[in-house]
Amino acid sequence: MYDLCIIGAGMIGSAAARHATVTSGLNTCLIGPTEPKNRGYDKTSGIYGSYFDEGRITRCMDKDAVWSTLARESIQRYRDLEQQSGIKFYQEVGNLMIGGRSYLNKTDEVASRNAIPTQKLDIKLLKQRFPYLRLTEDTNGRMETKKAGYVNPRRMVKAQKTMAAKQGCTIIDDVVNHVTRIVQSDGSYVMLIKTEKGLSIWSKKVLLATGAFTTFRDVLPDVRPEQIISPLLVSLLEVEEANLKMFTKMPCIIYYGRANEVWQVPASHKTKDEISFYMMPPIKYPNGKYYIKLGLRDAASSESIKTPVDVTKWFKEGNKVTAKHVTNFAKSLFDGVDFKSWQTDSCVITETPTTHPYIDMIHAQLGVAIGGNGFAAKSSDEIGRLGVSMMTSQWDSTIPRDILKFKLLPTYPSEYKVTTLKGKL
């Protein structure tokens, strides 16, 4: 019998496992599949993680104070986690927010509130520092240098799981198919977890960190979160080693604003007046090549992900037409730069109507830490910690719990109705 079972061994789940074992001394298990060796031909669980990658932007500066706070609390623990685990995953290369005045005003407000040091850059300074970018004359920027940059999500998860295991967490490489609350003869409750490999695991409490797959397995019986699963394609532009010097001081970049006229915005994109993308400096991937990665929001909005088959197919195949459009857009951002080759990768974003994660209790034995909205990687350590804090009734964040409250689909009753079965250990 475990005190706490965490289902989902990605960035949030692995962080929760570490915090559960180090801060609360709980007898904890973490259940989730490891990354398949070959995504395109994996015929087993069909469970994938968006963390199967080499780079995610991390920064405190944000237009939303909640995400800024979650990131700040997470980032301050990165170096300790690296040192304790012996696994490096954090590169402090800085982050540049660029775009229109309205967007930057919001980031300035949050930066002031959370005491985040930033540097203002007008178009003249932007062109001097980043001559390879094509920007409109009305573009402005905010540079965050301290504690901003990127993390390697694969290595970060490895670091979290390494420390969780050292601290006594049992890690099970499996997929959970069913979670049920059982009422025992003495009136007490326990959770029964059944896995794809045939295991039956008993735990006093369960925390779900199951991301986009939350509704595709029977882990949240009788309850459905209000969320949208959105597909996202990223383009990887290969940079020749001879050209790496050009990008030596390139930070991570996030853009919100109007498109430059020379940018090749995909015809399927909603509007050229509201472009949102992120871009990362050259990162060395497992194949030995260096890639600049770009993700363009709303570029794959025509795709529909509503079933397990849909999400698995998207992770495996993506969309070749959209991939080419995103890559053409990525290339058009650069002036005088030729890229050796390109490839694409796919992931999914779980979007909530609050734009914030759900960190909430379904009932006294079952909690959730889901709904990343495309921003959770950098904040995963704090989201995982808060999930454990919630499960132990020791919430200690400046963020009010109501802001992170779970929302049901409108078709479901206003009160959670969860089936409880009779049984015994």
Side-chain angles (χ1 to χ4, degrees), residues 12-48:
I12 293 174
S14 62
R18 179 174 73 88
H19 285 288
T21 51
V22 72
T23 61
S24 302
L26 300 174
N27 180 18
T28 304
C29 76
L30 174 66
I31 309 175
T34 54
E35 181 177 358
K37 293 181 179 180
N38 190 324
R39 179 186 297 186
Y41 295 94
D42 177 55
K43 299 296 183 183
T44 55
S45 67
I47 301 292
Y48 297 93

Short mmCIF file of all heavy atoms in Angstrom, two decimals, residues 12-48:
data_model
loop_
_atom_site.label_atom_id
_atom_site.label_comp_id
_atom_site.label_asym_id
_atom_site.label_seq_id
_atom_site.Cartn_x
_atom_site.Cartn_y
_atom_site.Cartn_z
N ILE A 12 5.84 17.11 -15.09
CA ILE A 12 5.11 17.41 -13.86
C ILE A 12 5.11 16.21 -12.92
O ILE A 12 5.39 16.34 -11.72
CB ILE A 12 3.68 17.86 -14.17
CG1 ILE A 12 3.70 19.21 -14.91
CG2 ILE A 12 2.85 17.97 -12.89
CD1 ILE A 12 2.33 19.67 -15.40
N GLY A 13 4.81 15.04 -13.44
CA GLY A 13 4.75 13.85 -12.60
C GLY A 13 6.07 13.51 -11.96
O GLY A 13 6.12 13.17 -10.76
N SER A 14 7.16 13.59 -12.71
CA SER A 14 8.48 13.27 -12.15
C SER A 14 8.87 14.28 -11.08
O SER A 14 9.49 13.94 -10.07
CB SER A 14 9.53 13.21 -13.25
OG SER A 14 9.68 14.46 -13.90
N ALA A 15 8.50 15.55 -11.29
CA ALA A 15 8.77 16.57 -10.28
C ALA A 15 7.98 16.30 -9.01
O ALA A 15 8.49 16.41 -7.89
CB ALA A 15 8.43 17.95 -10.83
N ALA A 16 6.71 15.93 -9.18
CA ALA A 16 5.88 15.62 -8.02
C ALA A 16 6.46 14.46 -7.23
O ALA A 16 6.46 14.47 -5.99
CB ALA A 16 4.46 15.29 -8.49
N ALA A 17 6.96 13.45 -7.93
CA ALA A 17 7.56 12.29 -7.25
C ALA A 17 8.75 12.70 -6.40
O ALA A 17 8.92 12.24 -5.27
CB ALA A 17 7.96 11.24 -8.28
N ARG A 18 9.60 13.57 -6.94
CA ARG A 18 10.76 14.03 -6.17
C ARG A 18 10.32 14.80 -4.93
O ARG A 18 10.83 14.57 -3.82
CB ARG A 18 11.66 14.91 -7.04
CG ARG A 18 12.88 15.45 -6.28
CD ARG A 18 13.80 16.19 -7.20
NE ARG A 18 13.28 17.48 -7.63
CZ ARG A 18 13.47 18.62 -6.96
NH1 ARG A 18 14.13 18.62 -5.82
NH2 ARG A 18 12.98 19.76 -7.43
N HIS A 19 9.39 15.71 -5.10
CA HIS A 19 8.96 16.52 -3.96
C HIS A 19 8.21 15.69 -2.92
O HIS A 19 8.32 15.95 -1.71
CB HIS A 19 8.08 17.67 -4.44
CG HIS A 19 8.85 18.78 -5.08
ND1 HIS A 19 9.65 19.65 -4.36
CD2 HIS A 19 8.98 19.16 -6.38
CE1 HIS A 19 10.22 20.51 -5.17
NE2 HIS A 19 9.83 20.24 -6.41
N ALA A 20 7.46 14.69 -3.36
CA ALA A 20 6.73 13.84 -2.42
C ALA A 20 7.69 13.09 -1.51
O ALA A 20 7.44 12.92 -0.32
CB ALA A 20 5.83 12.87 -3.17
N THR A 21 8.81 12.63 -2.07
CA THR A 21 9.74 11.83 -1.29
C THR A 21 10.68 12.68 -0.44
O THR A 21 11.12 12.25 0.62
CB THR A 21 10.58 10.92 -2.21
OG1 THR A 21 11.17 11.72 -3.26
CG2 THR A 21 9.73 9.84 -2.83
N VAL A 22 10.98 13.90 -0.88
CA VAL A 22 11.95 14.71 -0.13
C VAL A 22 11.29 15.61 0.90
O VAL A 22 11.85 15.86 1.97
CB VAL A 22 12.83 15.55 -1.08
CG1 VAL A 22 12.04 16.70 -1.70
CG2 VAL A 22 14.03 16.11 -0.33
N THR A 23 10.10 16.13 0.62
CA THR A 23 9.49 17.11 1.52
C THR A 23 8.45 16.51 2.45
O THR A 23 8.23 17.03 3.54
CB THR A 23 8.83 18.25 0.71
OG1 THR A 23 7.81 17.70 -0.12
CG2 THR A 23 9.85 18.97 -0.14
N SER A 24 7.82 15.44 2.03
CA SER A 24 6.73 14.89 2.84
C SER A 24 7.00 13.49 3.38
O SER A 24 6.25 13.00 4.21
CB SER A 24 5.43 14.86 1.99
OG SER A 24 5.13 16.16 1.53
N GLY A 25 8.06 12.86 2.88
CA GLY A 25 8.39 11.52 3.36
C GLY A 25 7.33 10.49 3.05
O GLY A 25 7.18 9.49 3.76
N LEU A 26 6.58 10.71 1.99
CA LEU A 26 5.50 9.79 1.64
C LEU A 26 6.06 8.53 0.97
O LEU A 26 7.03 8.60 0.20
CB LEU A 26 4.51 10.46 0.71
CG LEU A 26 3.80 11.71 1.22
CD1 LEU A 26 2.96 12.32 0.10
CD2 LEU A 26 2.92 11.38 2.41
N ASN A 27 5.44 7.41 1.23
CA ASN A 27 5.74 6.18 0.50
C ASN A 27 5.08 6.32 -0.87
O ASN A 27 3.87 6.20 -1.01
CB ASN A 27 5.19 4.97 1.25
CG ASN A 27 5.48 3.66 0.54
OD1 ASN A 27 6.34 3.59 -0.32
ND2 ASN A 27 4.74 2.62 0.91
N THR A 28 5.90 6.61 -1.87
CA THR A 28 5.40 7.08 -3.17
C THR A 28 5.78 6.15 -4.30
O THR A 28 6.88 5.58 -4.32
CB THR A 28 5.96 8.48 -3.47
OG1 THR A 28 5.62 9.36 -2.40
CG2 THR A 28 5.40 9.04 -4.77
N CYS A 29 4.88 6.01 -5.27
CA CYS A 29 5.24 5.35 -6.52
C CYS A 29 4.89 6.28 -7.68
O CYS A 29 3.97 7.09 -7.59
CB CYS A 29 4.55 4.00 -6.68
SG CYS A 29 2.82 4.06 -7.14
N LEU A 30 5.66 6.17 -8.74
CA LEU A 30 5.47 6.95 -9.97
C LEU A 30 5.28 5.96 -11.10
O LEU A 30 6.13 5.10 -11.35
CB LEU A 30 6.70 7.83 -10.23
CG LEU A 30 6.74 8.60 -11.56
CD1 LEU A 30 5.64 9.65 -11.60
CD2 LEU A 30 8.11 9.26 -11.75
N ILE A 31 4.16 6.08 -11.80
CA ILE A 31 3.86 5.15 -12.89
C ILE A 31 3.77 5.91 -14.21
O ILE A 31 3.04 6.89 -14.32
CB ILE A 31 2.53 4.41 -12.66
CG1 ILE A 31 2.48 3.79 -11.27
CG2 ILE A 31 2.32 3.34 -13.72
CD1 ILE A 31 1.13 3.16 -10.94
N GLY A 32 4.50 5.43 -15.21
CA GLY A 32 4.44 6.03 -16.53
C GLY A 32 5.43 5.37 -17.46
O GLY A 32 6.46 4.85 -17.01
N PRO A 33 5.13 5.36 -18.75
CA PRO A 33 6.03 4.70 -19.71
C PRO A 33 7.25 5.56 -20.03
O PRO A 33 7.19 6.79 -19.99
CB PRO A 33 5.14 4.53 -20.95
CG PRO A 33 4.21 5.71 -20.88
CD PRO A 33 3.95 5.93 -19.41
N THR A 34 8.35 4.91 -20.34
CA THR A 34 9.52 5.63 -20.82
C THR A 34 9.35 5.94 -22.30
O THR A 34 8.45 5.42 -22.97
CB THR A 34 10.80 4.79 -20.61
OG1 THR A 34 10.61 3.50 -21.23
CG2 THR A 34 11.07 4.58 -19.13
N GLU A 35 10.21 6.79 -22.82
CA GLU A 35 10.12 7.19 -24.22
C GLU A 35 10.39 6.00 -25.14
O GLU A 35 11.37 5.27 -24.95
CB GLU A 35 11.14 8.30 -24.51
CG GLU A 35 11.11 8.79 -25.94
CD GLU A 35 12.08 9.94 -26.19
OE1 GLU A 35 12.76 10.38 -25.24
OE2 GLU A 35 12.15 10.39 -27.35
N PRO A 36 9.54 5.77 -26.14
CA PRO A 36 9.78 4.68 -27.08
C PRO A 36 11.05 4.94 -27.89
O PRO A 36 11.39 6.08 -28.19
CB PRO A 36 8.53 4.69 -27.97
CG PRO A 36 7.98 6.07 -27.86
CD PRO A 36 8.30 6.52 -26.46
N LYS A 37 11.75 3.88 -28.24
CA LYS A 37 13.00 4.03 -28.98
C LYS A 37 12.76 4.56 -30.39
O LYS A 37 13.59 5.26 -30.94
CB LYS A 37 13.73 2.68 -29.04
CG LYS A 37 14.24 2.21 -27.68
CD LYS A 37 14.99 0.89 -27.79
CE LYS A 37 15.51 0.44 -26.43
NZ LYS A 37 16.24 -0.85 -26.52
N ASN A 38 11.63 4.19 -30.97
CA ASN A 38 11.30 4.65 -32.31
C ASN A 38 9.85 5.08 -32.32
O ASN A 38 8.95 4.24 -32.35
CB ASN A 38 11.55 3.54 -33.34
CG ASN A 38 11.45 4.04 -34.77
OD1 ASN A 38 10.64 4.91 -35.09
ND2 ASN A 38 12.27 3.49 -35.65
N ARG A 39 9.61 6.38 -32.29
CA ARG A 39 8.25 6.89 -32.19
C ARG A 39 7.36 6.40 -33.33
O ARG A 39 6.22 6.03 -33.13
CB ARG A 39 8.26 8.42 -32.16
CG ARG A 39 6.87 9.03 -32.07
CD ARG A 39 6.87 10.53 -32.18
NE ARG A 39 7.57 11.17 -31.09
CZ ARG A 39 7.60 12.49 -30.92
NH1 ARG A 39 6.97 13.28 -31.77
NH2 ARG A 39 8.26 13.01 -29.92
N GLY A 40 7.86 6.40 -34.52
CA GLY A 40 7.03 6.07 -35.67
C GLY A 40 6.58 4.63 -35.72
O GLY A 40 5.59 4.32 -36.38
N TYR A 41 7.31 3.74 -35.02
CA TYR A 41 6.97 2.32 -35.12
C TYR A 41 6.63 1.70 -33.78
O TYR A 41 6.55 0.50 -33.65
CB TYR A 41 8.13 1.55 -35.76
CG TYR A 41 8.37 1.97 -37.19
CD1 TYR A 41 9.32 2.96 -37.50
CD2 TYR A 41 7.63 1.42 -38.22
CE1 TYR A 41 9.53 3.36 -38.81
CE2 TYR A 41 7.84 1.82 -39.54
CZ TYR A 41 8.78 2.78 -39.83
OH TYR A 41 8.99 3.19 -41.12
N ASP A 42 6.40 2.54 -32.78
CA ASP A 42 6.02 2.02 -31.48
C ASP A 42 4.61 1.44 -31.56
O ASP A 42 3.67 2.12 -31.91
CB ASP A 42 6.07 3.13 -30.43
CG ASP A 42 5.61 2.64 -29.07
OD1 ASP A 42 6.19 1.65 -28.60
OD2 ASP A 42 4.68 3.25 -28.51
N LYS A 43 4.48 0.16 -31.21
CA LYS A 43 3.19 -0.51 -31.32
C LYS A 43 2.63 -0.89 -29.95
O LYS A 43 1.72 -1.69 -29.84
CB LYS A 43 3.35 -1.79 -32.17
CG LYS A 43 3.82 -1.53 -33.59
CD LYS A 43 2.82 -0.72 -34.39
CE LYS A 43 3.28 -0.54 -35.83
NZ LYS A 43 2.35 0.29 -36.61
N THR A 44 3.19 -0.33 -28.89
CA THR A 44 2.76 -0.72 -27.56
C THR A 44 1.68 0.22 -27.04
O THR A 44 0.55 0.20 -27.48
CB THR A 44 3.96 -0.77 -26.61
OG1 THR A 44 4.64 0.50 -26.65
CG2 THR A 44 4.95 -1.84 -27.04
N SER A 45 2.02 1.06 -26.08
CA SER A 45 0.99 1.82 -25.37
C SER A 45 0.37 2.95 -26.17
O SER A 45 -0.77 3.33 -25.94
CB SER A 45 1.61 2.40 -24.09
OG SER A 45 2.57 3.39 -24.42
N GLY A 46 1.11 3.54 -27.10
CA GLY A 46 0.62 4.71 -27.80
C GLY A 46 0.60 5.94 -26.93
O GLY A 46 -0.06 6.93 -27.25
N ILE A 47 1.31 5.92 -25.82
CA ILE A 47 1.41 7.06 -24.92
C ILE A 47 2.71 7.79 -25.21
O ILE A 47 3.79 7.20 -25.17
CB ILE A 47 1.39 6.62 -23.44
CG1 ILE A 47 0.11 5.86 -23.13
CG2 ILE A 47 1.54 7.82 -22.53
CD1 ILE A 47 -1.16 6.69 -23.17
N TYR A 48 2.61 9.08 -25.51
CA TYR A 48 3.79 9.87 -25.82
C TYR A 48 3.84 11.09 -24.92
O TYR A 48 2.83 11.53 -24.37
CB TYR A 48 3.76 10.31 -27.29
CG TYR A 48 3.80 9.16 -28.25
CD1 TYR A 48 2.63 8.61 -28.76
CD2 TYR A 48 5.01 8.59 -28.64
CE1 TYR A 48 2.65 7.53 -29.63
CE2 TYR A 48 5.05 7.51 -29.51
CZ TYR A 48 3.87 6.98 -30.00
OH TYR A 48 3.91 5.92 -30.85
#
